[in-house]
Amino acid sequence: MFKNALVHVQRNYKALLIYIAISASYFAARVAVEHFMLGKIERDSISSIQVTYLLVAGILTAVVIAMAQTLAFTRLARDIDRPFWKIEPGFPTFFRYCSFWFTLNYINIAALLFIGIAPFENDAKVSMSLFRVLYEVMFIPFGATVMFYGNTSRQEIVQALSTMLLQLPRFLLTAFFGLCFIGILDALQTSLPMASLPALAVIDAYFSCFIFAYVWEICKFNREEEENSDDMEF
């Protein structure tokens, strides 16, 4: 599965490049804007402008990343699971998946902002941060599993959760990959200047596409197991 996922990402380099182009361009623009904004914050009011900016930037980040994920992940899914996975072309389908990924991304960003801004004790912040990190490592696997079933309704969400439970050891391995990656990315972000955000966005785009492809392989494996089980019962 690991090797297959790498092959899928390399073969679908156009999908990866779409993700990279959108994400890196956005973070390059954000670095420039924040450089300007930080100068204004020092001269004017600190808290009100800063909080407002973080809220607006959080929503915008979730929108942009959701667009990148929708465009890249739908291309990946069509190629990985050809001819089984098909979607109707057009804006309604794009909007449905983009809204889905926006929700998943914004929950993560909103939790990060809430933990950072709200006046909690350190112990409470540590506990909430742990839950947020667990969410961060699992929301792409969860989203990929939902997409595998072709929609984002309650039925597909239930099917996705069922698949994740049935293949729990493999999803735990995915979570381990995610934790390692987040640790590396946080270390890089802490040690590097803010101007490095576009470069880190490139790394994040590749890893996100890899995790998506890896989870899709897990879902395909689960489907094959269910088909073999049905054949044996017959």
Side-chain angles (χ1 to χ4, degrees), residues 145-147 149-161:
T145 310
V146 172
M147 278 188 69
Y149 290 103
N151 210 326
T152 57
S153 67
R154 180 181 297 180
Q155 180 180 349
E156 283 74 29
I157 290 173
V158 171
Q159 285 180 298
L161 292 173

Side-chain angles (χ1 to χ4, degrees), residues 2-234:
F2 186 93
K3 184 179 179 181
N4 287 345
L6 289 175
V7 170
H8 292 320
V9 176
Q10 292 168 6
R11 187 173 66 243
N12 291 278
Y13 66 91
K14 290 182 180 179
L16 175 61
L17 288 177
I18 289 172
Y19 198 136
I20 289 174
I22 295 173
S23 181
S25 298
Y26 167 73
F27 281 105
R30 183 168 170 179
V31 166
V33 169
E34 289 189 5
H35 179 73
F36 172 74
M37 288 289 293
L38 287 173
K40 287 200 68 175
I41 289 171
E42 289 175 359
R43 291 191 301 270
D44 302 324
S45 61
I46 296 177
S47 59
S48 60
I49 294 177
Q50 195 171 27
V51 170
T52 302
Y53 173 75
L54 287 173
L55 292 174
V56 173
I59 294 172
L60 187 58
T61 300
V63 170
V64 172
I65 298 303
M67 291 173 62
Q69 289 170 335
T70 301
L71 292 170
F73 291 167
T74 50
R75 283 172 173 261
L76 271 170
R78 278 197 298 264
D79 181 76
I80 294 172
D81 212 12
R82 192 189 307 265
F84 297 104
W85 198 81
K86 298 177 182 178
I87 55 172
E88 292 291 329
F91 181 75
T93 301
F94 171 80
F95 182 76
R96 182 174 71 248
Y97 283 116
C98 194
S99 300
F100 174 68
W101 284 109
F102 167 79
T103 302
L104 295 180
N105 279 283
Y106 191 67
I107 289 171
N108 184 49
I109 294 170
L112 181 64
L113 292 176
F114 181 71
I115 293 167
I117 295 172
F120 291 113
E121 297 292 333
N122 287 336
D123 290 344
K125 285 193 174 186
V126 169
S127 299
M128 287 188 289
S129 295
L130 288 174
F131 281 110
R132 191 200 65 79
V133 169
L134 289 174
Y135 175 83
E136 186 175 0
V137 301
M138 291 308 299
F139 84 83
I140 287 183
F142 169 72
T145 310
V146 172
M147 278 188 69
F148 180 83
Y149 290 103
N151 210 326
T152 57
S153 67
R154 180 181 297 180
Q155 180 180 349
E156 283 74 29
I157 290 173
V158 171
Q159 285 180 298
L161 292 173
S162 175
T163 298
M164 293 178 78
L165 287 173
L166 288 171
Q167 302 297 332
L168 186 59
R170 291 179 172 83
F171 277 95
L172 288 176
L173 182 59
T174 305
F176 174 74
F177 290 155
L179 285 171
C180 292
F181 175 73
I182 288 173
I184 294 170
L185 201 65
D186 284 347
L188 289 173
Q189 194 167 353
T190 302
S191 60
L192 295 174
M194 188 176 176
S196 65
L197 275 179
L200 296 179
V202 173
I203 300 172
D204 180 71
Y206 186 90
F207 183 77
S208 296
C209 288
F210 165 75
I211 286 295
F212 182 89
Y214 186 82
V215 169
W216 207 276
E217 283 292 318
I218 296 174
C219 293
K220 286 171 63 178
F221 177 80
N222 183 73
R223 182 176 61 199
E224 291 169 3
E225 279 194 334
E226 289 178 345
E227 289 173 353
N228 292 336
S229 177
D230 291 341
D231 290 342
M232 289 178 64
E233 289 177 4
F234 178 76

